[in-house]
Amino acid sequence: MNIIVCAKQVVDVAEIKVDSSTKKPILAGVPQKISDMDKNALEEAIKIKEKHSGKITVITVGNPDAKERIKELLAMGADEGVLITPPDHADYHVIAHLLVGAIRKIGTYDIILCGEASIDMFSGQMGPRIAGLLNIPQITYAQTATVEHKNVISEKNLGEKTVTIESPFPVLITMTKESNQPRLPSLMAILASSSKPIHEWPVSSVITEPLIPKVKTIDIKGIPMQRKNIIYQDDLDQSVGKLVDELAKVGVLR
Ligand SMILES: Cc1cc2nc3c(=O)[nH]c(=O)nc-3n(C[C@H](O)[C@H](O)[C@H](O)COP(=O)(O)OP(=O)(O)OC[C@H]3O[C@@H](n4cnc5c(N)ncnc54)[C@H](O)[C@@H]3O)c2cc1C
């Protein structure tokens, strides 16, 4: 199996603070990480490789510091990394074409795995765009990706029903957060990963025609959290009971 995993470096959204006067997110100093669902995609790739053998290549379109994040993915179990630094003003169209250019340059692939969406921009566009540009089948929001002889079978959990979908290779699959528990690399794996290659490919090596962005993000504002500030002052049992009732009322508990 030749497996490609698309993994995006994102700001750790849990660490973002919002400027109370301008409502703008304060991004300076916020740590970067690999988007959560992309680790689910890599975990699924590793499980497939463990069963069927093969090679896992991770592609990131991101700034040069994303190389450090790619190293974490190599420690998890990817074999090679590819980093492409996009031009300024890179919209969805530009990023999708760069990822597809890199996939075409790699050439051989059976499965392309993406996250269902990134945790920062959360458009969920990249997987479907890549499959469309490559003209290959796609399965979105997959909970599983089981490789059979000539096909891959994925289950999608739609709440009240489960849908099972089969596709031939090559196929693009977007994985959900619930699909698996990404592994933490061992110390040995971290040490061994230092010899794995990370290729930094210039834009011109994957795309020849000019890439013109089509949409522009014109504003990002934080939404202040509304707290209810309810304080229960009865004895412990009564307070817990009231808390449970309140959580059920707002739909957190069933
Ligand atoms: C370096 C950089 C500069 C940017 N500059 C601009 C800008 O100037 N203007 C603007 O409007 N937007 C900009 N963006 C945002 C960009 O348009 C979107 O982040 C990108 O198109 C992906 O959309 P998304 O985050 O909603 O991903 P989704 O479509 O929600 O992601 C789904 C999945 O696609 C894959 N994926 C997504 N993005 C990447 C990636 N970069 N590398 C590898 N895999 C990926 C992952 O598997 C991910 O889980 C920039 C992004 C980057 C990384």
Side-chain angles (χ1 to χ4, degrees):
M1 287 278 113
N2 281 302
I3 308 170
I4 293 174
V5 177
C6 298
K8 183 184 181 192
Q9 171 175 257
V10 294
V11 286
D12 188 345
V13 287
E15 300 286 326
I16 297 178
K17 302 219 166 16
V18 176
D19 184 311
S20 54
S21 54
T22 63
K23 304 281 183 282
K24 299 275 180 206
I26 304 165
L27 297 176
V30 178
Q32 306 271 328
K33 64 180 219 170
I34 290 293
S35 187
D36 295 355
M37 286 74 106
D38 303 356
K39 286 200 171 172
N40 295 106
L42 177 57
E43 176 63 33
E44 207 60 31
I46 297 167
K47 288 200 299 192
I48 295 170
K49 185 184 158 182
E50 283 171 346
K51 215 162 164 193
H52 301 277
S53 80
K55 179 176 172 188
I56 302 171
T57 307
V58 171
I59 309 175
T60 298
V61 173
N63 293 326
D65 62 345
K67 201 171 169 182
E68 290 310 306
R69 308 287 92 68
I70 295 177
K71 285 181 187 168
E72 295 167 25
L73 302 176
L74 297 178
M76 247 180 96
D79 298 293
E80 276 188 29
V82 171
L83 172 62
I84 298 160
T85 297
D88 291 341
H89 310 302
D91 71 344
Y92 305 95
H93 165 79
V94 170
I95 304 269
H97 275 82
L98 292 173
L99 286 166
V100 166
I103 292 167
R104 288 201 170 115
K105 185 167 168 172
I106 292 167
T108 317
Y109 51 88
D110 301 296
I111 306 179
I112 301 168
L113 290 166
C114 291
E116 59 175 313
S118 71
I119 60 162
D120 59 349
M121 299 301 279
F122 212 86
S123 73
Q125 294 188 20
M126 245 0 81
R129 276 179 182 264
I130 294 167
L133 289 167
L134 291 172
N135 197 20
I136 61 171
Q138 60 179 302
I139 302 172
T140 50
Y141 303 102
Q143 211 100 11
T144 61
T146 309
V147 169
E148 306 260 298
H149 183 48
K150 286 189 174 161
N151 294 317
V152 64
I153 295 176
S154 284
E155 283 183 356
K156 290 167 69 135
N157 182 345
L158 300 181
E160 74 290 358
K161 57 183 177 290
T162 304
V163 179
T164 307
I165 300 173
E166 185 183 75
S167 170
F169 304 114
V171 57
L172 182 142
I173 305 175
T174 71
M175 302 302 303
T176 63
K177 189 157 180 51
E178 297 74 32
S179 56
N180 56 45
Q181 182 63 47
R183 68 196 63 195
L184 290 173
S186 65
L187 182 60
M188 287 301 287
I190 294 170
L191 293 174
S193 69
S194 61
S195 61
K196 294 181 179 177
I198 299 177
H199 311 286
E200 290 180 70
W201 287 347
V203 167
S204 59
S205 76
V206 295
I207 288 286
T208 45
E209 72 271 24
L211 285 174
I212 318 283
K214 295 179 189 276
V215 298
K216 194 168 148 197
T217 304
I218 52 174
D219 197 16
I220 298 180
K221 280 204 179 84
I223 300 169
M225 298 275 265
Q226 301 290 340
R227 295 190 187 278
K228 287 195 167 181
N229 290 319
I230 302 172
I231 300 172
Y232 300 108
Q233 291 176 319
D234 311 291
D235 71 39
L236 187 61
D237 284 347
Q238 279 180 323
S239 294
V240 170
K242 284 182 181 171
L243 175 61
V244 169
D245 288 348
E246 180 65 22
L247 291 174
K249 205 164 82 188
V250 297
V252 177
L253 293 179
R254 288 190 183 183

